[in-house]
Amino acid sequence: MDAQPDRSARQASLRRATNETRIEVSLNLDGTGLYKISTGVGFLDHMLEQLSRHSLIDLTVQAEGDLHIDFHHTTEDSGIAIGTAFAQALGDRKGIGRYGEATVPMDETLTRVALDLSNRPYLIWKVHFTRDKLGDMDTELFKEWFQAFAQAAGVTLHVENLYGENNHHIVESCFKALARALRAAVEIDPRKADAVPSTKGTLGGTL
């Protein structure tokens, strides 16, 4: 993986290539929610567009994967690539709010996301579906995306669907809640813009 972070502007771009997928990602944490997404998986494109729009993170994703097998590799690897670029753009994580929380309604559905940009990845996923597929996409793959993103981005991430009936609404509220929580967590606190938000003086590991 070849990544080129721009720490001053909190931007990053990378190319990730394996025998299963080829993915190019660029993002800007201080954007306005502009996006250009093409993964070959329509529903995943729609969710990543929601992630960009509601986080105000500019996001470009161009992915080619072994979709003739299934959508697993493309879904997981896009999470890895976006998460890696996100971590690169954060740099040393100085000045960030670090924590974010959002509770997002979508019609009959309500989902809560709480996260910590701790550089200690962990996923709690309390989301259940009543359908195996949304369109052509297996619903079990959404957990794989969130797991891959959390691991690569260094995020402690809790996702809980409090209630809901429509599976489309459940998934979309998860991505929108993640977006709103990230928006709060990446924002620079002008009172401590030069300091890592931890009494340890660093984020990550077991320190």
Side-chain angles (χ1 to χ4, degrees):
M1 186 178 297
D2 181 21
Q4 301 86 30
D6 181 345
R7 299 187 189 283
S8 63
R10 301 209 302 169
Q11 299 177 13
S13 298
L14 65 83
R15 293 183 177 88
R16 185 180 192 276
T18 71
N19 291 335
E20 298 166 341
T21 61
R22 293 170 300 282
I23 302 175
E24 295 185 19
V25 170
S26 63
L27 59 78
N28 177 5
L29 298 181
D30 300 308
T32 58
L34 299 177
Y35 56 81
K36 185 176 181 181
I37 312 292
S38 178
T39 67
V41 182
F43 200 92
L44 180 60
D45 288 356
H46 182 45
M47 293 302 100
L48 296 180
E49 290 167 358
Q50 300 299 327
L51 179 64
S52 172
R53 175 62 61 86
H54 294 282
S55 67
L56 299 183
I57 295 172
D58 292 345
L59 180 63
T60 300
V61 180
Q62 178 69 45
E64 297 179 6
D66 52 3
L67 301 181
H68 62 287
I69 297 175
D70 64 12
F71 295 167
H72 187 281
H73 297 143
T74 298
T75 300
E76 182 176 40
D77 289 3
S78 70
I80 294 171
I82 294 168
T84 302
F86 182 86
Q88 292 282 345
L90 278 177
D92 58 14
R93 309 192 182 211
K94 283 184 178 179
I96 61 171
R98 177 178 168 177
Y99 298 98
E101 188 274 336
T103 302
V104 170
M106 189 168 183
D107 294 349
E108 86 298 340
T109 296
L110 190 68
T111 296
R112 177 171 59 209
V113 166
L115 58 83
D116 176 7
L117 301 185
S118 60
N119 213 12
R120 295 188 301 274
Y122 203 94
L123 176 67
I124 296 294
W125 179 258
K126 295 186 177 182
V127 181
H128 302 284
F129 301 106
T130 58
R131 293 173 55 186
D132 293 332
K133 287 182 178 290
L134 283 170
D136 294 328
M137 188 168 182
D138 295 330
T139 49
E140 68 180 7
L141 294 181
F142 295 110
K143 180 181 179 181
E144 299 301 319
W145 188 92
F146 276 80
Q147 176 65 56
F149 173 79
Q151 189 70 36
V155 180
T156 299
L157 177 57
H158 294 245
V159 184
E160 182 179 16
N161 174 237
L162 301 175
Y163 47 81
E165 298 175 4
N166 183 289
N167 288 263
H168 186 134
H169 294 168
I170 290 171
V171 174
E172 189 162 338
S173 64
C174 290
F175 277 88
K176 287 180 175 177
L178 172 62
R180 297 295 297 194
L182 287 174
R183 180 173 170 179
V186 303
E187 190 155 336
I188 298 295
D189 185 340
R191 294 174 297 175
K192 283 289 185 179
D194 61 344
V196 173
S198 171
T199 55
K200 304 178 186 70
T202 186
L203 290 173
T206 56
L207 295 174

